[in-house]
Amino acid sequence: MKDLLGMSREEFNNFMNSFDTVVTDCDGVLWMGMDEIPGAVKVMTKFKEMGKKIFYVTNNSTKTRVGFLDKFKKLGFNTNASEVICTSYLAAQYISDHADTNKKVYVIGSEGLAAELQTAGLKCFGIGPDPLGMDIGEFTSKFSIEQDVGAVVVGFDEHFSYPKMMKAASYLYNKSTVFVGTNTDEQFPLKKAGVVMPGTGALVRAVETCANRKAFVVGKPEAYLREVLMKEENITPSRTLMIGDRCNTDILLGKRCGFQTLMVLSGVTSLEEVHEWQQSKDPALTQLVPDFYSETLGLLHSKIQ
Amino acid sequence: MKDLLGMSREEFNNFMNSFDTVVTDCDGVLWMGMDEIPGAVKVMTKFKEMGKKIFYVTNNSTKTRVGFLDKFKKLGFNTNASEVICTSYLAAQYISDHADTNKKVYVIGSEGLAAELQTAGLKCFGIGPDPLGMDIGEFTSKFSIEQDVGAVVVGFDEHFSYPKMMKAASYLYNKSTVFVGTNTDEQFPLKKAGVVMPGTGALVRAVETCANRKAFVVGKPEAYLREVLMKEENITPSRTLMIGDRCNTDILLGKRCGFQTLMVLSGVTSLEEVHEWQQSKDPALTQLVPDFYSETLGLLHSKIQ
């Protein structure tokens, strides 16, 4: 693992010439909440000026690619929708490639997820509140399922409910129904002391359990993004740099994809943790060690010619 | 594995004298839906007349012990509440023994579960519908949790919702909060073609995921029942007979408890499956083979003196 900021000019230039695609995580690398991490805009702009392809990766499934642009623009990033790789987009790609696209998609998720699926030409239903509203016996006896459902997707859904689980499990009873989970993050970062916001992973595990099937997960650290970027964007994995602040999602994703990996210290993982993993004999830990690290992304600006 | 119906009189009498406690599953052994499996009442009555202690075991968490008696009475079983070992009772026992009983229990579950906890002297809250009812951002900013919560229990709850998950995960953030799941059954048996009713296991897995903790599960096939029956009823495991129709729950429970095990063929597991497991080298399968089997429980009546 090499410190980019400690590299000689020649070494650093070799590094810069070793990749022509940048895939970067957002929170903890580019910004914290609604604040830019200083210098991130300048470095991303520099990468673009140098002709490198840029992709912004997020496990967030609640918006469309276009829907995410607002925040990028507000913070000064010059970003196009085609550079945003959110899990709603990845889910739409996977379903388009693997399900019967004449059939409908049952969506546990947000309006943004449904809109991204629709952008890909898929028919969706299931969005919004779906409470029981009556006695469970009555509900079950009245319960009927739609025909022509080709896929079930589970993303973040604050209206998650027992009827939604029952519908998903029933559609998935037909083994030819494609089953996609956007990501398996267990929790969101704590916002208030002692308040835990369940992540999409809890919803995916619930549906997997009652459907007795495993979901195909499109988000980090699963490597499906590699397939999409190779097919749609013609990237070369060995000439791609993955930047992230969380080794167990971002760096692991990079490793699984055959990318070069750069950890920044402005987010979750600390250098001390990585030093511990380097000493470990457990391959699950040693594979989390990135190729490169930097205090922050912004600090690279002074080294870039 | 011996066929009880094929035993000589002496062999069968030795079997009958080898146990003084009977623990039996209900559905598939005593009844199917609302119909007695012929002879079950007569045999259970006979066991009782012979002075054997009887316990009826169910993973159902939706009623109190008393609440289950209706069905037993309707079908002709002479049963007392103290003979019914439902998971609401087991959960109440576990929480009483392991949590601070001055504190409250947050219940994801039914009124029956809460009532059984209250019977044990525990204070409960959380029962009934709990939908989001507003924007998620507003919900999160208004969200506050109760103080003095000593335990979280997850049983079957048709009102399962995101706010319930958020509350459970937040109470469980305090590692001293006791965490109980009634059972991990993934699905209920199909009632209508293609309609899958999610079981309590799906709710338990969802909460486990977002709380990043494992629940203590009191239902079959976990062996907690052994501890309760030894402490409260003074049973001797080696002189206890477990009767069931599902080897991966009932017989596995019996094995884990050190009970003798009897499979009846009136329910889920078939003799052919067990014969396959007998040939297997996988200990996970061979441990599912019962000591004894019988076509039905009722057919034993003719052999009992």
Side-chain angles (χ1 to χ4, degrees):
Chain A
M1 184 177 60
K2 289 184 183 162
D3 179 6
L4 289 182
L5 295 174
M7 277 183 174
S8 69
R9 171 131 328 272
E10 190 190 346
E11 233 183 332
F12 188 79
N13 287 346
N14 287 343
F15 162 74
M16 287 298 293
N17 291 328
S18 72
F19 60 92
D20 40 41
T21 302
V22 173
V23 178
T24 183
D25 175 44
C26 303
D27 204 52
V29 178
L30 308 179
W31 58 63
M32 289 294 260
M34 281 312 289
D35 301 309
E36 186 210 355
I37 296 176
V41 170
K42 278 201 290 188
V43 170
M44 293 311 295
T45 304
K46 197 83 190 171
F47 284 156
K48 213 170 204 178
E49 285 169 6
M50 295 171 88
K52 299 186 190 300
K53 283 187 187 174
I54 309 285
F55 299 101
Y56 298 93
V57 178
T58 171
N59 270 357
N60 193 320
S61 66
T62 63
K63 293 179 184 169
T64 61
R65 302 176 96 180
V66 172
F68 280 109
L69 290 181
D70 265 2
K71 181 160 184 178
F72 285 95
K73 290 209 172 117
K74 242 177 228 164
L75 296 182
F77 292 92
N78 172 21
T79 308
N80 307 311
S82 63
E83 293 169 332
V84 179
I85 313 290
C86 47
T87 49
S88 49
Y89 169 67
L90 292 174
Q93 288 290 310
Y94 186 83
I95 293 168
S96 298
D97 278 356
H98 293 85
D100 180 345
T101 53
N102 292 316
K103 293 188 172 180
K104 288 175 286 189
V105 182
Y106 178 64
V107 181
I108 294 183
S110 61
E111 285 174 22
L113 175 54
E116 191 66 33
L117 297 171
Q118 282 156 357
T119 300
L122 298 163
K123 295 182 285 281
C124 302
F125 71 108
I127 297 303
D130 189 3
L132 197 69
M134 60 185 85
D135 173 80
I136 180 77
E138 190 185 349
F139 182 85
T140 310
S141 70
K142 285 186 179 167
F143 186 78
S144 69
I145 57 174
E146 304 243 352
Q147 298 305 308
D148 295 327
V149 173
V152 169
V153 57
V154 180
F156 181 75
D157 189 344
E158 67 267 32
H159 300 297
F160 192 65
S161 66
Y162 189 80
K164 290 194 179 204
M165 292 167 68
M166 192 162 155
K167 287 172 187 173
S170 298
Y171 292 125
L172 291 167
Y173 184 71
N174 180 342
K175 293 292 175 269
S176 69
T177 307
V178 168
F179 180 19
V180 177
T182 60
N183 68 88
T184 52
D185 299 347
E186 292 91 356
Q187 305 174 342
F188 289 94
L190 287 188
K191 289 196 179 162
K192 288 201 269 188
V195 174
V196 177
M197 275 194 73
T200 306
L203 315 188
V204 173
R205 296 300 176 224
V207 176
E208 285 185 335
T209 303
C210 60
N212 208 5
R213 288 180 56 178
K214 293 299 274 181
F216 183 88
V217 176
V218 295
K220 296 182 286 182
E222 303 304 328
Y224 176 63
L225 157 136
R226 179 184 195 269
E227 197 177 308
V228 173
L229 289 183
M230 285 181 76
K231 186 179 152 209
E232 303 289 327
E233 307 285 351
N234 202 27
I235 68 155
T236 306
S238 63
R239 291 194 55 79
T240 298
L241 179 69
M242 174 76 214
I243 309 175
D245 69 310
R246 279 184 70 142
C247 287
N248 63 356
T249 53
D250 304 322
I251 301 305
L252 184 56
L253 169 72
K255 296 290 185 89
R256 285 176 172 172
C257 290
F259 299 164
Q260 301 184 64
T261 51
L262 163 59
M263 170 178 67
V264 293
L265 301 175
S266 46
V268 173
T269 304
S270 70
L271 202 54
E272 290 67 40
E273 288 175 273
V274 182
H275 285 320
E276 267 179 41
W277 301 335
Q278 283 183 307
Q279 311 301 324
S280 170
K281 290 199 168 64
D282 181 355
L285 293 179
T286 53
Q287 73 170 337
L288 300 181
V289 178
D291 301 316
F292 308 102
Y293 73 94
S294 172
E295 187 70 26
T296 70
L297 182 62
L299 285 172
L300 295 183
H301 190 255
S302 62
K303 299 214 61 142
I304 300 175
Q305 299 269 310
Chain B
M1 184 178 59
K2 289 185 181 163
D3 179 5
L4 289 182
L5 295 173
M7 277 184 175
S8 69
R9 171 130 330 270
E10 191 189 345
E11 234 184 332
F12 188 78
N13 288 347
N14 287 343
F15 162 73
M16 288 298 292
N17 291 329
S18 72
F19 60 91
D20 40 39
T21 301
V22 173
V23 177
T24 184
D25 175 46
C26 303
D27 204 52
V29 177
L30 308 179
W31 58 63
M32 289 295 260
M34 282 311 291
D35 301 308
E36 186 209 356
I37 297 176
V41 169
K42 278 202 291 190
V43 170
M44 293 310 295
T45 304
K46 198 82 190 173
F47 283 156
K48 213 170 204 179
E49 286 168 5
M50 295 172 88
K52 299 188 190 299
K53 283 187 186 173
I54 309 284
F55 298 101
Y56 298 94
V57 177
T58 171
N59 269 357
N60 193 321
S61 65
T62 65
K63 292 178 185 170
T64 61
R65 303 176 96 180
V66 172
F68 280 110
L69 289 181
D70 266 2
K71 180 160 186 180
F72 284 96
K73 288 208 172 118
K74 243 177 224 162
L75 296 182
F77 292 91
N78 172 21
T79 308
N80 307 312
S82 63
E83 293 169 333
V84 178
I85 312 291
C86 46
T87 48
S88 49
Y89 169 68
L90 291 174
Q93 288 290 310
Y94 186 82
I95 293 168
S96 298
D97 277 356
H98 293 85
D100 179 345
T101 53
N102 292 315
K103 293 187 172 180
K104 288 175 285 189
V105 182
Y106 178 64
V107 182
I108 294 183
S110 61
E111 286 175 21
L113 175 54
E116 191 67 31
L117 296 170
Q118 282 156 356
T119 299
L122 298 162
K123 294 182 286 282
C124 301
F125 70 108
I127 297 303
D130 189 2
L132 196 68
M134 61 186 84
D135 173 79
I136 180 77
E138 191 186 349
F139 183 85
T140 309
S141 69
K142 285 186 178 166
F143 186 78
S144 68
I145 57 175
E146 305 242 351
Q147 299 306 309
D148 295 327
V149 174
V152 169
V153 57
V154 180
F156 181 75
D157 188 345
E158 67 268 32
H159 300 297
F160 192 66
S161 66
Y162 189 80
K164 290 194 180 205
M165 292 167 68
M166 192 161 154
K167 286 173 188 171
S170 298
Y171 292 126
L172 290 167
Y173 185 70
N174 180 342
K175 294 292 176 269
S176 69
T177 306
V178 168
F179 181 18
V180 177
T182 59
N183 68 87
T184 53
D185 299 346
E186 292 90 356
Q187 306 175 340
F188 289 93
L190 288 188
K191 289 197 177 161
K192 289 201 268 188
V195 175
V196 177
M197 276 193 73
T200 306
L203 315 188
V204 173
R205 294 303 175 222
V207 176
E208 285 185 334
T209 303
C210 61
N212 208 5
R213 287 181 56 179
K214 295 297 275 181
F216 183 88
V217 176
V218 295
K220 297 183 283 183
E222 303 304 329
Y224 176 62
L225 157 136
R226 178 183 195 268
E227 198 177 306
V228 173
L229 290 182
M230 286 182 75
K231 186 179 153 209
E232 303 290 326
E233 308 285 350
N234 203 27
I235 68 155
T236 306
S238 63
R239 291 193 54 80
T240 298
L241 179 69
M242 175 76 214
I243 309 175
D245 69 309
R246 280 185 69 143
C247 287
N248 63 357
T249 52
D250 304 323
I251 301 304
L252 184 57
L253 169 71
K255 294 291 184 87
R256 286 175 172 173
C257 292
F259 298 165
Q260 301 184 63
T261 52
L262 163 59
M263 171 178 68
V264 293
L265 302 175
S266 46
V268 173
T269 305
S270 70
L271 203 52
E272 289 67 39
E273 288 175 273
V274 182
H275 284 320
E276 267 178 41
W277 301 335
Q278 283 184 307
Q279 311 301 324
S280 169
K281 289 197 168 67
D282 181 354
L285 293 179
T286 53
Q287 73 170 339
L288 300 181
V289 177
D291 301 316
F292 308 102
Y293 74 93
S294 172
E295 188 69 26
T296 70
L297 182 63
L299 284 172
L300 294 183
H301 191 254
S302 62
K303 298 213 63 140
I304 299 176
Q305 299 270 310

